[in-house]
Amino acid sequence: MFSLKKKSMNAKPFKNGKGVNKPFRSPFSTPQSSDNINISKLTTYETPLKVSIAKRLIYQKTPSPKKLCINKENNNKQTDIKIKNKLYQIDLELLKKKIQEKEESIKILKTTLLYKKKNKAENLESVIKKWTTCCQNALIDYQKCLQEKNDQPVKLSEILSLFNINPDIVCFSIDDDTFY
């Protein structure tokens, strides 16, 4: 046969019930002093006047926000601040450009210093003299080879112009047709 079970009542309220988030309050307690507290108004949601005053004092320590008065002086200050901010941004951009230029100049100076350390001036002058004499000897040999093949005299100025060589680089005088 069918058995009927009785549903038992829970002592705890449901999750969304009325008494879930209410603090416990004894129905037998009465206020200790008669400071105009109306007992009929006293419910579980309200606290006695003494406690609420204490809570107010605790939360009253933080200053209340003041209302801003908008006037011409305040607007002028705000526009001045905006103008100053724009000027600061322009100055900041100019400073950044100057910094980049300085960094580039430092980089160039470092490379020149590196080259100076690697190649001393005394060594460079001797090497330059060596290479100019080698170039002059090569040009003279080339001139002799051309004269032997063509059986005609060839000027060194014609050879230099043929190869687009600057005469000053190889220490050649066009007027005298000789090396100096």
Side-chain angles (χ1 to χ4, degrees), residues 35-52:
D35 290 337
N36 297 330
I37 299 175
N38 191 353
I39 296 176
S40 63
K41 287 185 179 180
L42 192 60
T43 63
T44 56
Y45 292 105
E46 295 178 4
T47 56
L49 185 62
K50 287 183 180 179
V51 176
S52 64

Side-chain angles (χ1 to χ4, degrees), residues 6-21:
K6 291 184 179 179
K7 292 183 179 179
S8 63
M9 297 281 291
N10 288 340
K12 295 180 184 177
F14 292 111
K15 287 185 179 179
N16 296 330
K18 289 184 177 180
V20 174
N21 292 325

Side-chain angles (χ1 to χ4, degrees), residues 48-62:
L49 185 62
K50 287 183 180 179
V51 176
S52 64
I53 289 173
K55 285 185 179 179
R56 284 185 205 155
L57 289 176
I58 291 172
Y59 294 112
Q60 197 173 15
K61 289 181 182 177
T62 58

Side-chain angles (χ1 to χ4, degrees), residues 142-155:
Y142 187 71
Q143 181 186 17
K144 287 179 184 177
C145 287
L146 284 177
Q147 287 177 357
E148 289 176 2
K149 284 185 180 179
N150 296 335
D151 293 331
Q152 294 178 351
V154 180
K155 292 185 176 183

Side-chain angles (χ1 to χ4, degrees), residues 81-151:
I81 291 172
K82 288 179 183 177
I83 291 170
K84 287 181 181 178
N85 284 340
K86 287 181 182 178
L87 291 175
Y88 291 146
Q89 288 175 351
I90 292 170
D91 290 339
L92 183 65
E93 290 173 5
L94 289 173
L95 286 174
K96 285 181 181 179
K97 287 180 183 178
K98 285 182 181 180
I99 289 171
Q100 287 177 346
E101 291 172 359
K102 297 290 183 181
E103 286 176 348
E104 289 174 6
S105 65
I106 287 172
K107 185 178 178 181
I108 292 169
L109 289 172
K110 283 183 178 180
T111 54
T112 54
L113 183 65
L114 181 74
Y115 289 139
K116 284 185 179 181
K117 284 182 180 179
K118 282 185 177 179
N119 306 318
K120 295 180 182 174
E122 301 159 354
N123 295 342
L124 282 177
E125 290 177 13
S126 64
V127 171
I128 289 171
K129 286 180 184 177
K130 179 180 176 182
W131 282 104
T132 52
T133 55
C134 289
C135 184
Q136 290 171 355
N137 292 335
L139 287 171
I140 291 171
D141 289 342
Y142 187 71
Q143 181 186 17
K144 287 179 184 177
C145 287
L146 284 177
Q147 287 177 357
E148 289 176 2
K149 284 185 180 179
N150 296 335
D151 293 331

